[in-house]
Amino acid sequence: MFRQSLLKTIVILALLGGGVVYTFFTGYFGKELVIEAATLAILAISLDMVAGYGGMISLCHGAIFGIGAYTFAALTVLFGVHPLLAFAAAIVATALFGAVVGAITSRTHGIFFIMATLAFGQMAYVTIFESRTLGGDDGLAGVPRLDLSAIGIDLMNSTNFALFAIAALALVYVIAAFVLRSGFGRTLVGIHVNEARMKAVGLTVWHYKAAAFGISGALAGLGGAIAAQQTMFVSPELLVWMVSGTVLMVVIFGGIGTLVGPAVGAVVWVFLKHEISSITVHWHMIAGAVLIITIVAGGRGLYGQIEYMIENRRAKQKQPDETNVSPLAQERETHA
Amino acid sequence: MVTDWSYWAVQTLNGLQLSMLLFLLSVGLTVIFGLLHFVNLAHGALYGLGAYIGISAAAATGSYWAGFAAAPIVVALTGMLLYLGLMKRMRQAGPMNQVLVTLGLIFVFVDVFRLIWGDLAIGTAAPAIFSGRSDVFGVVYPTYRLFIIALGAIVMAALALVLSRTQLGAMIRAGVDNDQMAACLGVNVERIFFIVFCVGCALAGLAGAVAVPVFSAHPDMGTEILISTLIVVVVGGMGSLRGAVAGSFLVGFAQTFGAVLVPEVASLLIYALLAGVLVFRPTGLFPARA
Amino acid sequence: MLKTITGAVVCATLAVAASAPAAAQDYKVGMLLPYSGVYAALGKDIDEGFVLALEEAGMADQVEIIREDTEVKPPVGLAKARKLVLEDQVDVLVGPVSSGVLGAVRDFVDQTKTPIIVANAGNDEATGENCTPYIVRVSFSNSQVNRPMGQWMYDQGIRKVYTMAPDYAAGRQQIGAFAEAFKAAGGEIVGQEFTPFRTTQDFGPYLSAAQATEPDAVYVFYAGSEAINFVKQYDAFGLNDTATLHGSGFINSPLYVDAQGPAAVGTVASLHYIPTLDTPENKTFVEAVQKRYERTPSEYTVQGYDAGRSFVEAIKSGATDKEAIAKALPTVEYVSPRGPVSIDPATNNIVQNMYIYETVEGDDGKLTQKLIGTVENVKDPVNGCEM
């Protein structure tokens, strides 16, 4: 069950505030990192919505992110559509794609669900890779940024764009938290915990799964459209399945099922990757090792572990028998 | 010329050859899943390891067969270490955590390959007795590929025999059906798990060593083959030999004839196959348990 | 690889520290290359060639090299290019290997007026319709390598050709240029296949289809591990007996030819450099590479070397800042290990010889390249380039 606890509020505000402050004091490349971290955090939050709360471990969120980026890029570059309109279209397209995937895969569970999402993600990747109109593996260049000059903001300025990305992250977090707190969100968690019971009380489960995947897709697509504007360039690399794998790693690393954790994970990931890759080209090995250690250590992740310790202590003070269940243990229960 | 029956016979052999390679790779993965409920994404990396060991052993001794023998042994030993050090404690952790831990392992393996064998793709030659081409009922086909087909068929038959006719096979089947009940009946489930895991890894290593005269070995080869292997396993239904056989043939032939008949959508085909199967049979064609 | 690079860096820094501790480095070069991923080996060769050119000119102490890994991903490459230009303030960029990365950084180098010396990426557009004064290519263009083979193969009596290449932009460009030239010469393309890029390991089905058309020759573009797989399988299916394998020279690059083994013998291909060229410049170069890196140079080593050499020549001509270097680069002209080279001012693409070579077994039993034809001073058409 999702609860916007005080800890969550403090950490997400600190993260966003820290990002803003850092943006003003860092050099050019630091701002690029801020934008990269913000878009990755958006994607990670959107994945955590379905994976952490809905139990739907998706291996196609990288592809959805890429579809968002490509929709924005193709509409603006190839058809000269106004960026604002293209931005909206990217969100609608990814929402639809997400809803369709969510509906079709609603009967599969566990590894079969993971593989089914992988299949849809790869189909999108292959289609774009082989599409001559979309530039194939060369991608599309010359993607414009949103024109906010009407309200006095020049997004070509990298400070402004970094702040814009942080604002988008804040918005995405608020939407995700709002959705998860609503009755819809509670039902979603209910389906995750016991699907048979929810069916027994007369729920059309696939409606909820499709809707959840659609909303998550829309958020991921929003992140993708921002990423396309940051680099002003899109290529099929965005959709490859390893990107989805990496996002899943980021979510776990930060703390799955905590919503704030994935954002923390994304920020730490981007900056750590930059630091490590400037020392060694073998940073994948280090990333792999970190992931293995995170999971073997209990799978709660960076933020998840802290939240667990704090809430656990509070729970012990109030009622000695009520303890929080770790995501790993939850996973065990649902799998059994 | 394309109406020529020998052309289609060659393409059928191509499909068979790919199917057998996929079978060698996926059978270990699927039985490990059926018995241990364990999703091992690092299986592809073990295939890569087998390929590299095969090349190195062949280069050191000058004989292809040294690699053929060494690869399954070394990979099984590596699998043993992985099992005892990592996977045993992940057994009950659920599919997501297993997917992620073994995804982490892929990253580690790829960089280990790069450190030991370098970035460049390397290869080795087919053994002398299987080089060249043979005439099968008037169809000329590379001998080494016939060897792969034969080897796959032998492994397939041997596994079917072991599973259906031996006590070990009976225990494995019992374990797949219901591991707790099997344990109650006095089967040492833990030991069976361990044996199956090692055999699965050995087969992946063997597949690597066998593939290397046809393909080349490079650090990402395990990641590249992984998707096809997973599709075989999931389409067939996890945990059953029958499923692995069916999945291998479906994917092998879909890839081969897709490339020939509908080249424009060939690369989409196996994903469409996967999605299609899962929509109508959410646990694959021949799941081990209903 | 890491060891050699850090080794080179350490040596360079030590040398600087020992000789002139206070001397500031005059120039900054940003290496935009893949140091990880499928093209890491290419990045390494280019890097080594570049360092060699600087050392040969005695300029290693004056130039600071900043290396960034593109990971062969266009967005990463663009981010790294931005970092190099805006934060490190490099005077010139060197790279990239992938055409995708070059396409991604094209607008950025144009806007920031930063010269980039292209040391591999071969997409025709970069020195065609998308050209800019800031992109100078010293490697090759996709059509440049393949076009000469059209007429040459026709002259050898070859009439029916089947073509194959991976299904991506470079594959289509390389094959397209050849097919156009071959048809113009009077030849016939009896079949064409584009195989899924990077996912095709088994070429069996395609080879059987090619065999069925009974061509005089098969013309292909494959590189890296695909080239190894392809050449071995081509031989295994017995196509070598009926149709000689021809192709863009990357198919038998010295980097991979050992892994291909005897299957590669007899392949005929065209490329802008082979290590067996019999010229004094090349002999010196091969010796230098063998002495410094203990191996034979590849075409990528030469591309790195020529990137370094053209930079050195531009500096020698008096260029000091970005703008001046960009102006000086197209005027560079010298005899490279690959023969006389110059830059075509109309496109900023290199003008160079194409060497048609056969892969043969040498006296020592190892595979080597036998030169069988030279097409001199191959120059690309303007292709819609407006500077």
PDB file of all heavy atoms in Angstrom, chain A residues 39-50:
ATOM      1  N   THR A  39      15.587  12.514 -16.310  1.00  0.00           N
ATOM      2  CA  THR A  39      14.795  11.686 -17.233  1.00  0.00           C
ATOM      3  C   THR A  39      14.836  10.221 -16.816  1.00  0.00           C
ATOM      4  O   THR A  39      13.828   9.525 -16.886  1.00  0.00           O
ATOM      5  CB  THR A  39      15.285  11.828 -18.692  1.00  0.00           C
ATOM      6  OG1 THR A  39      16.701  11.710 -18.712  1.00  0.00           O
ATOM      7  CG2 THR A  39      14.881  13.138 -19.288  1.00  0.00           C
ATOM      8  N   LEU A  40      16.000   9.777 -16.339  1.00  0.00           N
ATOM      9  CA  LEU A  40      16.089   8.391 -15.881  1.00  0.00           C
ATOM     10  C   LEU A  40      15.198   8.187 -14.659  1.00  0.00           C
ATOM     11  O   LEU A  40      14.541   7.148 -14.518  1.00  0.00           O
ATOM     12  CB  LEU A  40      17.539   8.024 -15.557  1.00  0.00           C
ATOM     13  CG  LEU A  40      17.786   6.561 -15.170  1.00  0.00           C
ATOM     14  CD1 LEU A  40      17.404   5.627 -16.308  1.00  0.00           C
ATOM     15  CD2 LEU A  40      19.234   6.325 -14.769  1.00  0.00           C
ATOM     16  N   ALA A  41      15.137   9.200 -13.792  1.00  0.00           N
ATOM     17  CA  ALA A  41      14.294   9.101 -12.597  1.00  0.00           C
ATOM     18  C   ALA A  41      12.822   9.025 -12.991  1.00  0.00           C
ATOM     19  O   ALA A  41      12.048   8.266 -12.402  1.00  0.00           O
ATOM     20  CB  ALA A  41      14.542  10.293 -11.679  1.00  0.00           C
ATOM     21  N   ILE A  42      12.435   9.805 -14.011  1.00  0.00           N
ATOM     22  CA  ILE A  42      11.045   9.744 -14.492  1.00  0.00           C
ATOM     23  C   ILE A  42      10.721   8.336 -14.968  1.00  0.00           C
ATOM     24  O   ILE A  42       9.704   7.741 -14.608  1.00  0.00           O
ATOM     25  CB  ILE A  42      10.829  10.760 -15.639  1.00  0.00           C
ATOM     26  CG1 ILE A  42      10.891  12.186 -15.092  1.00  0.00           C
ATOM     27  CG2 ILE A  42       9.498  10.508 -16.340  1.00  0.00           C
ATOM     28  CD1 ILE A  42      10.824  13.253 -16.152  1.00  0.00           C
ATOM     29  N   LEU A  43      11.629   7.781 -15.757  1.00  0.00           N
ATOM     30  CA  LEU A  43      11.421   6.433 -16.274  1.00  0.00           C
ATOM     31  C   LEU A  43      11.367   5.424 -15.123  1.00  0.00           C
ATOM     32  O   LEU A  43      10.508   4.525 -15.105  1.00  0.00           O
ATOM     33  CB  LEU A  43      12.554   6.092 -17.252  1.00  0.00           C
ATOM     34  CG  LEU A  43      12.509   4.720 -17.919  1.00  0.00           C
ATOM     35  CD1 LEU A  43      11.190   4.511 -18.643  1.00  0.00           C
ATOM     36  CD2 LEU A  43      13.669   4.573 -18.893  1.00  0.00           C
ATOM     37  N   ALA A  44      12.256   5.582 -14.147  1.00  0.00           N
ATOM     38  CA  ALA A  44      12.307   4.637 -13.033  1.00  0.00           C
ATOM     39  C   ALA A  44      11.025   4.722 -12.200  1.00  0.00           C
ATOM     40  O   ALA A  44      10.482   3.695 -11.773  1.00  0.00           O
ATOM     41  CB  ALA A  44      13.532   4.922 -12.169  1.00  0.00           C
ATOM     42  N   ILE A  45      10.521   5.925 -11.986  1.00  0.00           N
ATOM     43  CA  ILE A  45       9.270   6.078 -11.217  1.00  0.00           C
ATOM     44  C   ILE A  45       8.119   5.423 -11.971  1.00  0.00           C
ATOM     45  O   ILE A  45       7.301   4.703 -11.391  1.00  0.00           O
ATOM     46  CB  ILE A  45       8.976   7.574 -10.958  1.00  0.00           C
ATOM     47  CG1 ILE A  45       9.944   8.109  -9.898  1.00  0.00           C
ATOM     48  CG2 ILE A  45       7.532   7.770 -10.511  1.00  0.00           C
ATOM     49  CD1 ILE A  45       9.820   9.589  -9.656  1.00  0.00           C
ATOM     50  N   SER A  46       8.076   5.646 -13.285  1.00  0.00           N
ATOM     51  CA  SER A  46       6.983   5.055 -14.066  1.00  0.00           C
ATOM     52  C   SER A  46       7.049   3.531 -14.010  1.00  0.00           C
ATOM     53  O   SER A  46       6.024   2.858 -13.943  1.00  0.00           O
ATOM     54  CB  SER A  46       7.031   5.554 -15.514  1.00  0.00           C
ATOM     55  OG  SER A  46       8.012   4.863 -16.247  1.00  0.00           O
ATOM     56  N   LEU A  47       8.260   2.985 -14.001  1.00  0.00           N
ATOM     57  CA  LEU A  47       8.398   1.531 -13.922  1.00  0.00           C
ATOM     58  C   LEU A  47       8.024   1.033 -12.531  1.00  0.00           C
ATOM     59  O   LEU A  47       7.361   0.001 -12.384  1.00  0.00           O
ATOM     60  CB  LEU A  47       9.840   1.121 -14.273  1.00  0.00           C
ATOM     61  CG  LEU A  47      10.153  -0.374 -14.163  1.00  0.00           C
ATOM     62  CD1 LEU A  47       9.251  -1.182 -15.087  1.00  0.00           C
ATOM     63  CD2 LEU A  47      11.612  -0.650 -14.505  1.00  0.00           C
ATOM     64  N   ASP A  48       8.418   1.781 -11.508  1.00  0.00           N
ATOM     65  CA  ASP A  48       8.116   1.356 -10.137  1.00  0.00           C
ATOM     66  C   ASP A  48       6.606   1.295  -9.904  1.00  0.00           C
ATOM     67  O   ASP A  48       6.124   0.456  -9.153  1.00  0.00           O
ATOM     68  CB  ASP A  48       8.778   2.313  -9.147  1.00  0.00           C
ATOM     69  CG  ASP A  48       8.817   1.707  -7.744  1.00  0.00           C
ATOM     70  OD1 ASP A  48       8.875   0.468  -7.644  1.00  0.00           O
ATOM     71  OD2 ASP A  48       8.788   2.469  -6.768  1.00  0.00           O
ATOM     72  N   MET A  49       5.871   2.191 -10.560  1.00  0.00           N
ATOM     73  CA  MET A  49       4.405   2.173 -10.427  1.00  0.00           C
ATOM     74  C   MET A  49       3.845   0.797 -10.749  1.00  0.00           C
ATOM     75  O   MET A  49       3.051   0.240  -9.996  1.00  0.00           O
ATOM     76  CB  MET A  49       3.784   3.170 -11.405  1.00  0.00           C
ATOM     77  CG  MET A  49       3.425   4.489 -10.823  1.00  0.00           C
ATOM     78  SD  MET A  49       2.556   5.414 -12.088  1.00  0.00           S
ATOM     79  CE  MET A  49       0.906   4.799 -11.873  1.00  0.00           C
ATOM     80  N   VAL A  50       4.240   0.257 -11.912  1.00  0.00           N
ATOM     81  CA  VAL A  50       3.699  -1.052 -12.303  1.00  0.00           C
ATOM     82  C   VAL A  50       4.460  -2.210 -11.667  1.00  0.00           C
ATOM     83  O   VAL A  50       3.866  -3.210 -11.290  1.00  0.00           O
ATOM     84  CB  VAL A  50       3.666  -1.228 -13.842  1.00  0.00           C
ATOM     85  CG1 VAL A  50       2.512  -0.473 -14.430  1.00  0.00           C
ATOM     86  CG2 VAL A  50       4.974  -0.846 -14.469  1.00  0.00           C
TER      87      VAL A  50
END
